[in-house]
Amino acid sequence: MINRANHNCSPRVAAVPAGFPTTVGDTSAATGAIRHLYVHIPFCARICPYCAFYKDLLDRSQARRFCEALLRDLDQQHAVFAISPKTIYFGGGTPTALNTSQLEFLLGGFHDRLDLSALDEWTIEANPGSVSARKATLLHKLEVNRVSLGVQSWDNKLLEILGREHTAAQAEQSFHILRDAGFLNINVDLMFGLPGQTIEQWQNTLEQTISLRPDHISAYCLTYEEDTEFFARQSRGELKANPEADADFFETTMSTLEHAGYEQYEISNYARPGFSSVHNRAYWLGEDYLGIGPSAFSTVGLRRWQNLADYRAYADRILLRQSPVGSTENLTNEMKRAERIALSLRTHDGVSAALLRPFQNETREFIALGLLRQSNRNFVLTQKGKSLADSVAEAFV
Ligand SMILES: C[S@@+](CC[C@H](N)C(=O)[O-])C[C@H]1O[C@@H](n2cnc3c(N)ncnc32)[C@H](O)[C@@H]1O
Ligand code: SF4
C-alpha cells in the first residue's frame, strides 16, 4: 500500500520519512510520465482504536466540497506532471464512506481528466460497513477493478474489541456483493496478534477467508501505534504486545495460506497466481508516484512531499488555488537505495546482489545465521529471516 506503514511483527523501518519546508521545487530528476496515483479519502463512519492513518469522522456536509478539492488537486498536479496512470489506489480512511453520487462525481472526474488507456489496476479500499450493491455496481462500471475489503477478523468478539462497525456476517455479505457486481480481484485485509486472540481463532479466520477464495490476502500484525487508544491502553498496562505469540501467528499464516495456493509475495501480502498488487510492487521498486488528498505523500525523482494532514485546511488551500503541501524533503540517492533495500527485502524476489555489494560482511553474516539466502542474482529472506525482516534491513542502512 503506497503511503502506508507496514504492519508486520518486526521493528518498523521508516519507509517514508517526514519532511520539512513547504514547496515542491525541482523535480527534474524525474523522467517520463507519472504511472502511479494514490488518492487519500480520510472519512470513516467510526474511528477504530488501533488506527493511526490520517482519518476523521465522516461529515456529510463536507464530503462534496472535499471531492471537488481532490479533483482540483489532480488538475494542479496535471498542470505540472505528465500523468499516464498504470495504477490508481484510493485508500483511506474509507473511500466507500462516500455515497454513490459523491463517488460518481469523483471517479467520473478522474475519467474526464486522465487518459486511462494504460490503466492496469484501479483499487479502492472498502469497509464492510459501507458496501452496498448499488455502490459496488457503480464502482465496477467506473472501471475500478480491485477492491480491498477490511475484514480484519471473522470473530465477532474480536471485531468488537477492534471497535469495528461491522459484524462477520456483514463482511461475508459485502464480499459476495462485490463478487456479484463483477469484481474479479478482491483483497481481504486481516489482522493478527489481537488482544486475547488465540491461535485457533486465527486459524479459523484464515480458513474462513480461504473458503471465500479471495484473490489476495493482506495479513497484518497489530501494531500499537502512537496517538491511538490502543497505544494509551498499552501504556497503562491494560493491553500487552506478545512478540512470541505474534511469531506463531505469522508462522501459521505463512503455512496455511501457502498450503491453500496463495504465494507470499511480500511479508504481509499473499496472492493467487497473477494477483499480486501492481500498485504495491511499483512502490517497493521505488517508482515515482503522486499522492492526491490530505496527508498523501508524493515521490518524484529525489523530491518527496506530503500534503497537509487536515482535510478542511487541505480543501481550503486547494480551492483558493494555493499549494496543499505541508512538508517537502530532498532525498539522496543513498536514502533511495536504503529504502529500496528495506522494501525489496520484504518481497519474494528479494534484493539484487548489486544493491547489497557495499554490505558484503553483513550479507555473509545473515547467510551464516540462516536469515538470508542467495537466489540467482538476488538475496532473499529465509522463512526464519522473514520474522526479522526489519532488523535485517536496518543493518543495510
Ligand atoms: C486504511 S485501512 C483499510 C480500509 C478501511 N478503512 C477499513 O478499515 O476497513 C488499511 C488496513 O490497515 C490495517 N491496519 C490499520 N491499522 C493497523 C494497525 N495498528 N496494526 C496493523 N494493521 C493495521 C487494517 O488491516 C486495515 O484494513
Ligand atoms: S482502520 Fe479503517 S475504518 Fe478504522 S479508523 Fe482506520 S481507516 Fe477508518
Short mmCIF file of all heavy atoms in Angstrom, two decimals, residues 127-161:
data_model
loop_
_atom_site.label_atom_id
_atom_site.label_comp_id
_atom_site.label_asym_id
_atom_site.label_seq_id
_atom_site.Cartn_x
_atom_site.Cartn_y
_atom_site.Cartn_z
N ASN A 127 -14.77 -0.63 3.50
CA ASN A 127 -15.09 -1.17 4.82
C ASN A 127 -16.42 -1.93 4.66
O ASN A 127 -17.35 -1.39 4.05
CB ASN A 127 -15.22 0.00 5.80
CG ASN A 127 -15.43 -0.46 7.22
OD1 ASN A 127 -16.28 -1.31 7.48
ND2 ASN A 127 -14.68 0.10 8.13
N PRO A 128 -16.50 -3.16 5.20
CA PRO A 128 -17.74 -3.93 5.01
C PRO A 128 -18.98 -3.19 5.47
O PRO A 128 -20.09 -3.47 5.00
CB PRO A 128 -17.50 -5.18 5.88
CG PRO A 128 -16.02 -5.30 5.99
CD PRO A 128 -15.47 -3.90 5.95
N GLY A 129 -18.81 -2.23 6.36
CA GLY A 129 -19.97 -1.46 6.85
C GLY A 129 -20.49 -0.46 5.82
O GLY A 129 -21.57 0.10 5.99
N SER A 130 -19.73 -0.24 4.73
CA SER A 130 -20.19 0.78 3.76
C SER A 130 -20.17 0.25 2.33
O SER A 130 -19.93 1.00 1.39
CB SER A 130 -19.33 2.05 3.88
OG SER A 130 -17.97 1.76 3.73
N VAL A 131 -20.43 -1.05 2.18
CA VAL A 131 -20.54 -1.64 0.83
C VAL A 131 -22.01 -1.93 0.54
O VAL A 131 -22.66 -2.61 1.34
CB VAL A 131 -19.72 -2.95 0.73
CG1 VAL A 131 -19.98 -3.65 -0.59
CG2 VAL A 131 -18.23 -2.68 0.91
N SER A 132 -22.52 -1.40 -0.55
CA SER A 132 -23.89 -1.76 -0.95
C SER A 132 -23.83 -2.24 -2.39
O SER A 132 -22.86 -1.96 -3.11
CB SER A 132 -24.81 -0.53 -0.87
OG SER A 132 -24.42 0.41 -1.85
N ALA A 133 -24.88 -2.95 -2.83
CA ALA A 133 -24.89 -3.47 -4.20
C ALA A 133 -24.83 -2.30 -5.20
O ALA A 133 -24.14 -2.37 -6.22
CB ALA A 133 -26.15 -4.30 -4.42
N ARG A 134 -25.51 -1.21 -4.86
CA ARG A 134 -25.54 -0.06 -5.77
C ARG A 134 -24.15 0.56 -5.92
O ARG A 134 -23.69 0.87 -7.01
CB ARG A 134 -26.53 0.97 -5.19
CG ARG A 134 -27.23 1.73 -6.26
CD ARG A 134 -28.39 2.53 -5.74
NE ARG A 134 -28.32 3.83 -6.38
CZ ARG A 134 -28.25 4.97 -5.73
NH1 ARG A 134 -28.26 5.01 -4.42
NH2 ARG A 134 -28.17 6.10 -6.40
N LYS A 135 -23.47 0.69 -4.78
CA LYS A 135 -22.13 1.29 -4.79
C LYS A 135 -21.16 0.38 -5.55
O LYS A 135 -20.36 0.82 -6.37
CB LYS A 135 -21.66 1.45 -3.34
CG LYS A 135 -20.89 2.70 -3.08
CD LYS A 135 -20.52 2.80 -1.60
CE LYS A 135 -21.47 3.69 -0.85
NZ LYS A 135 -21.05 3.91 0.55
N ALA A 136 -21.26 -0.94 -5.27
CA ALA A 136 -20.35 -1.89 -5.91
C ALA A 136 -20.55 -1.87 -7.43
O ALA A 136 -19.58 -1.85 -8.20
CB ALA A 136 -20.57 -3.29 -5.35
N THR A 137 -21.80 -1.84 -7.87
CA THR A 137 -22.09 -1.82 -9.31
C THR A 137 -21.54 -0.55 -9.96
O THR A 137 -20.95 -0.58 -11.04
CB THR A 137 -23.63 -1.91 -9.53
OG1 THR A 137 -24.07 -3.07 -8.87
CG2 THR A 137 -24.00 -1.98 -10.99
N LEU A 138 -21.71 0.57 -9.26
CA LEU A 138 -21.21 1.84 -9.78
C LEU A 138 -19.69 1.80 -9.92
O LEU A 138 -19.13 2.19 -10.94
CB LEU A 138 -21.62 2.99 -8.84
CG LEU A 138 -21.00 4.32 -9.23
CD1 LEU A 138 -21.83 4.98 -10.33
CD2 LEU A 138 -20.87 5.25 -8.04
N LEU A 139 -19.01 1.31 -8.87
CA LEU A 139 -17.54 1.29 -8.91
C LEU A 139 -17.05 0.41 -10.05
O LEU A 139 -16.10 0.74 -10.76
CB LEU A 139 -16.99 0.77 -7.56
CG LEU A 139 -17.20 1.71 -6.37
CD1 LEU A 139 -16.84 1.02 -5.06
CD2 LEU A 139 -16.37 2.99 -6.54
N HIS A 140 -17.73 -0.71 -10.24
CA HIS A 140 -17.34 -1.63 -11.32
C HIS A 140 -17.56 -0.95 -12.67
O HIS A 140 -16.71 -1.02 -13.57
CB HIS A 140 -18.15 -2.92 -11.19
CG HIS A 140 -17.67 -3.98 -12.11
ND1 HIS A 140 -18.34 -4.35 -13.25
CD2 HIS A 140 -16.55 -4.75 -12.08
CE1 HIS A 140 -17.68 -5.30 -13.88
NE2 HIS A 140 -16.58 -5.57 -13.19
N LYS A 141 -18.69 -0.27 -12.80
CA LYS A 141 -18.99 0.44 -14.06
C LYS A 141 -17.95 1.53 -14.34
O LYS A 141 -17.58 1.78 -15.48
CB LYS A 141 -20.40 1.06 -13.95
CG LYS A 141 -20.97 1.57 -15.26
CD LYS A 141 -22.31 2.23 -15.05
CE LYS A 141 -22.11 3.73 -14.93
NZ LYS A 141 -23.27 4.46 -14.47
N LEU A 142 -17.44 2.15 -13.26
CA LEU A 142 -16.45 3.22 -13.43
C LEU A 142 -15.02 2.68 -13.55
O LEU A 142 -14.05 3.41 -13.42
CB LEU A 142 -16.55 4.22 -12.27
CG LEU A 142 -17.82 5.08 -12.33
CD1 LEU A 142 -18.02 5.87 -11.04
CD2 LEU A 142 -17.79 6.03 -13.53
N GLU A 143 -14.91 1.37 -13.76
CA GLU A 143 -13.64 0.72 -14.11
C GLU A 143 -12.68 0.50 -12.96
O GLU A 143 -11.50 0.26 -13.16
CB GLU A 143 -12.95 1.43 -15.29
CG GLU A 143 -13.77 1.29 -16.56
CD GLU A 143 -13.19 2.04 -17.75
OE1 GLU A 143 -11.96 2.17 -17.82
OE2 GLU A 143 -13.98 2.49 -18.59
N VAL A 144 -13.19 0.63 -11.72
CA VAL A 144 -12.38 0.14 -10.60
C VAL A 144 -12.35 -1.37 -10.78
O VAL A 144 -13.38 -2.00 -11.04
CB VAL A 144 -13.04 0.51 -9.25
CG1 VAL A 144 -12.32 -0.15 -8.08
CG2 VAL A 144 -13.06 2.02 -9.08
N ASN A 145 -11.15 -1.98 -10.71
CA ASN A 145 -11.11 -3.43 -10.95
C ASN A 145 -10.51 -4.23 -9.79
O ASN A 145 -10.27 -5.43 -9.91
CB ASN A 145 -10.36 -3.75 -12.26
CG ASN A 145 -8.95 -3.20 -12.27
OD1 ASN A 145 -8.45 -2.75 -11.24
ND2 ASN A 145 -8.31 -3.24 -13.43
N ARG A 146 -10.27 -3.54 -8.67
CA ARG A 146 -9.74 -4.27 -7.50
C ARG A 146 -10.32 -3.61 -6.24
O ARG A 146 -10.28 -2.38 -6.12
CB ARG A 146 -8.22 -4.19 -7.50
CG ARG A 146 -7.54 -4.95 -6.40
CD ARG A 146 -6.02 -4.99 -6.61
NE ARG A 146 -5.38 -5.81 -5.60
CZ ARG A 146 -4.93 -5.33 -4.44
NH1 ARG A 146 -5.04 -4.05 -4.16
NH2 ARG A 146 -4.38 -6.15 -3.56
N VAL A 147 -10.84 -4.43 -5.33
CA VAL A 147 -11.37 -3.89 -4.07
C VAL A 147 -10.63 -4.53 -2.92
O VAL A 147 -10.40 -5.75 -2.90
CB VAL A 147 -12.89 -4.16 -3.93
CG1 VAL A 147 -13.41 -3.59 -2.62
CG2 VAL A 147 -13.66 -3.56 -5.09
N SER A 148 -10.21 -3.70 -1.97
CA SER A 148 -9.53 -4.20 -0.78
C SER A 148 -10.49 -4.05 0.40
O SER A 148 -10.81 -2.93 0.81
CB SER A 148 -8.26 -3.37 -0.56
OG SER A 148 -7.60 -3.81 0.59
N LEU A 149 -10.97 -5.18 0.89
CA LEU A 149 -12.04 -5.19 1.90
C LEU A 149 -11.44 -5.39 3.29
O LEU A 149 -10.77 -6.40 3.55
CB LEU A 149 -13.03 -6.32 1.55
CG LEU A 149 -14.32 -6.40 2.35
CD1 LEU A 149 -15.20 -5.17 2.09
CD2 LEU A 149 -15.10 -7.68 1.99
N GLY A 150 -11.70 -4.44 4.19
CA GLY A 150 -11.13 -4.51 5.54
C GLY A 150 -11.96 -5.39 6.46
O GLY A 150 -12.80 -4.92 7.22
N VAL A 151 -11.72 -6.70 6.38
CA VAL A 151 -12.49 -7.66 7.20
C VAL A 151 -11.89 -7.75 8.60
O VAL A 151 -12.60 -7.78 9.60
CB VAL A 151 -12.49 -9.06 6.51
CG1 VAL A 151 -13.11 -10.11 7.44
CG2 VAL A 151 -13.25 -9.00 5.20
N GLN A 152 -10.60 -7.85 8.70
CA GLN A 152 -9.80 -7.94 9.94
C GLN A 152 -9.94 -9.26 10.67
O GLN A 152 -8.96 -9.87 11.07
CB GLN A 152 -10.08 -6.78 10.93
CG GLN A 152 -10.32 -5.41 10.32
CD GLN A 152 -9.24 -4.95 9.35
OE1 GLN A 152 -8.18 -5.54 9.28
NE2 GLN A 152 -9.51 -3.90 8.59
N SER A 153 -11.16 -9.74 10.89
CA SER A 153 -11.36 -10.99 11.61
C SER A 153 -12.77 -11.49 11.29
O SER A 153 -13.64 -10.68 10.95
CB SER A 153 -11.24 -10.73 13.12
OG SER A 153 -11.61 -11.89 13.84
N TRP A 154 -12.96 -12.80 11.43
CA TRP A 154 -14.32 -13.34 11.27
C TRP A 154 -14.92 -13.65 12.63
O TRP A 154 -15.94 -14.36 12.72
CB TRP A 154 -14.31 -14.60 10.40
CG TRP A 154 -13.88 -14.35 8.99
CD1 TRP A 154 -12.69 -14.67 8.44
CD2 TRP A 154 -14.63 -13.70 7.96
NE1 TRP A 154 -12.63 -14.27 7.12
CE2 TRP A 154 -13.82 -13.66 6.79
CE3 TRP A 154 -15.90 -13.13 7.89
CZ2 TRP A 154 -14.24 -13.09 5.60
CZ3 TRP A 154 -16.33 -12.57 6.70
CH2 TRP A 154 -15.50 -12.55 5.57
N ASP A 155 -14.30 -13.15 13.69
CA ASP A 155 -14.77 -13.43 15.04
C ASP A 155 -15.44 -12.16 15.60
O ASP A 155 -14.78 -11.13 15.77
CB ASP A 155 -13.56 -13.82 15.90
CG ASP A 155 -13.96 -14.26 17.29
OD1 ASP A 155 -14.48 -13.41 18.05
OD2 ASP A 155 -13.77 -15.43 17.61
N ASN A 156 -16.75 -12.26 15.90
CA ASN A 156 -17.49 -11.06 16.30
C ASN A 156 -16.95 -10.41 17.58
O ASN A 156 -16.96 -9.20 17.71
CB ASN A 156 -18.98 -11.38 16.46
CG ASN A 156 -19.66 -11.41 15.09
OD1 ASN A 156 -19.24 -10.71 14.16
ND2 ASN A 156 -20.68 -12.25 14.95
N LYS A 157 -16.46 -11.27 18.51
CA LYS A 157 -15.93 -10.70 19.76
C LYS A 157 -14.69 -9.86 19.46
O LYS A 157 -14.51 -8.77 20.01
CB LYS A 157 -15.57 -11.83 20.73
CG LYS A 157 -16.74 -12.40 21.46
CD LYS A 157 -16.34 -12.81 22.90
CE LYS A 157 -17.56 -13.30 23.65
NZ LYS A 157 -18.01 -14.63 23.17
N LEU A 158 -13.82 -10.39 18.59
CA LEU A 158 -12.60 -9.65 18.26
C LEU A 158 -12.94 -8.38 17.47
O LEU A 158 -12.33 -7.33 17.65
CB LEU A 158 -11.62 -10.54 17.48
CG LEU A 158 -10.96 -11.64 18.32
CD1 LEU A 158 -10.13 -12.58 17.44
CD2 LEU A 158 -10.08 -11.05 19.41
N LEU A 159 -13.96 -8.48 16.60
CA LEU A 159 -14.37 -7.29 15.84
C LEU A 159 -14.84 -6.19 16.80
O LEU A 159 -14.58 -5.01 16.60
CB LEU A 159 -15.48 -7.64 14.85
CG LEU A 159 -15.04 -8.46 13.63
CD1 LEU A 159 -16.24 -8.89 12.80
CD2 LEU A 159 -14.06 -7.68 12.75
N GLU A 160 -15.50 -6.63 17.87
CA GLU A 160 -15.97 -5.66 18.87
C GLU A 160 -14.79 -5.02 19.59
O GLU A 160 -14.74 -3.80 19.77
CB GLU A 160 -16.85 -6.40 19.87
CG GLU A 160 -18.02 -5.59 20.36
CD GLU A 160 -18.92 -6.48 21.18
OE1 GLU A 160 -19.67 -7.30 20.58
OE2 GLU A 160 -18.85 -6.38 22.40
N ILE A 161 -13.81 -5.85 19.96
CA ILE A 161 -12.61 -5.32 20.63
C ILE A 161 -11.91 -4.32 19.72
O ILE A 161 -11.37 -3.31 20.17
CB ILE A 161 -11.65 -6.48 21.02
CG1 ILE A 161 -12.29 -7.27 22.15
CG2 ILE A 161 -10.27 -5.98 21.41
CD1 ILE A 161 -11.56 -8.56 22.50
#
